[in-house]
Amino acid sequence: HVDYDGDITEDIHKQLRIGTLFVNVTDYTREVYTKTLVPFHIYVHNRWNNYVEYLSADIKFLKQGVLIGDILKTPSITIPPWEQLTLSALWDTTSVEPGVYDAEITLRYHGKETLVTVPVTVKKKFEISTTLILSTIIILMLLIDVIIWLMHRFHNHEKDD
């Protein structure tokens, strides 16, 4: 409470947030599949007491420091004070080889930038091809033939004794 000129105020218990103009990356898409068009999400948190308008991101994918493909750009958004939202862009991975890449994410807002570099894993999508199916069928048929032949041989061998 505060005692001022004979008046006493009530006790107030509230959380006081003192913010600074800063937008943080809290999470992102960590794994994608190759040979497809995939959404790449960036989860951001406004650490300021005001709205952040025109927040957008540029994403560069690097392999050993070399840029892979085009730079992705997200549409800009407005994020309320202390809120968390998602920025998204589509990544064409049709020509990207499986492996671990560095994603260099640059958030742009109010003349400021937040830069983070994070690992992203590109995985090969498991595909069932006609060759795989036919090979499996042939192997199973050969295995069944061998089992039948062994059973027939064992059965005939017992009769001879």
Side-chain angles (χ1 to χ4, degrees):
H1 70 273
V2 175
D3 186 357
Y4 179 75
D5 197 25
D7 291 330
I8 298 175
T9 62
E10 295 178 26
D11 287 342
I12 301 173
H13 299 282
K14 287 189 174 182
Q15 183 179 13
L16 176 65
R17 290 183 174 175
I18 300 174
T20 183
L21 177 55
F22 179 69
V23 179
N24 190 32
V25 173
T26 57
D27 204 1
Y28 62 96
T29 301
R30 296 173 187 274
E31 290 183 355
V32 297
Y33 289 105
T34 188
K35 306 211 183 310
T36 188
L37 192 62
V38 294
F40 189 84
H41 301 295
I42 305 164
Y43 304 92
V44 294
H45 186 200
N46 180 2
R47 306 291 294 168
W48 198 31
N49 293 341
N50 292 314
Y51 282 84
V52 172
E53 297 177 330
Y54 309 109
L55 168 66
S56 66
D58 294 345
I59 307 114
K60 295 179 187 176
F61 295 97
L62 307 155
K63 185 71 170 189
Q64 297 174 344
V66 177
L67 180 65
I68 304 297
D70 296 328
I71 298 172
L72 302 185
K73 295 182 180 290
T74 69
S76 64
I77 62 170
T78 298
I79 184 170
W82 306 104
E83 292 292 318
Q84 296 187 58
L85 290 178
T86 305
L87 291 166
S88 298
L90 289 176
W91 184 18
D92 183 0
T93 62
T94 52
S95 61
V96 178
E97 293 297 319
V100 178
Y101 294 83
D102 291 324
E104 191 176 277
I105 301 169
T106 305
L107 300 180
R108 300 183 193 286
Y109 52 95
H110 289 277
K112 290 189 77 174
E113 290 184 354
T114 299
L115 174 66
V116 295
T117 302
V118 293
V120 175
T121 302
V122 177
K123 293 182 170 184
K124 185 174 181 179
K125 205 173 201 176
F126 180 73
E127 297 175 0
I128 297 178
S129 65
T130 307
T131 306
L132 179 64
I133 292 170
L134 290 175
S135 299
T136 304
I137 290 171
I138 291 170
I139 290 171
L140 284 173
M141 288 174 64
L142 286 172
L143 195 60
I144 291 170
D145 281 349
V146 168
I147 291 171
I148 290 172
W149 180 76
L150 286 172
M151 287 174 55
H152 183 68
R153 185 167 178 208
F154 182 72
H155 184 66
N156 285 343
H157 190 13
E158 282 183 347
K159 283 184 178 179
D160 291 344
D161 288 342

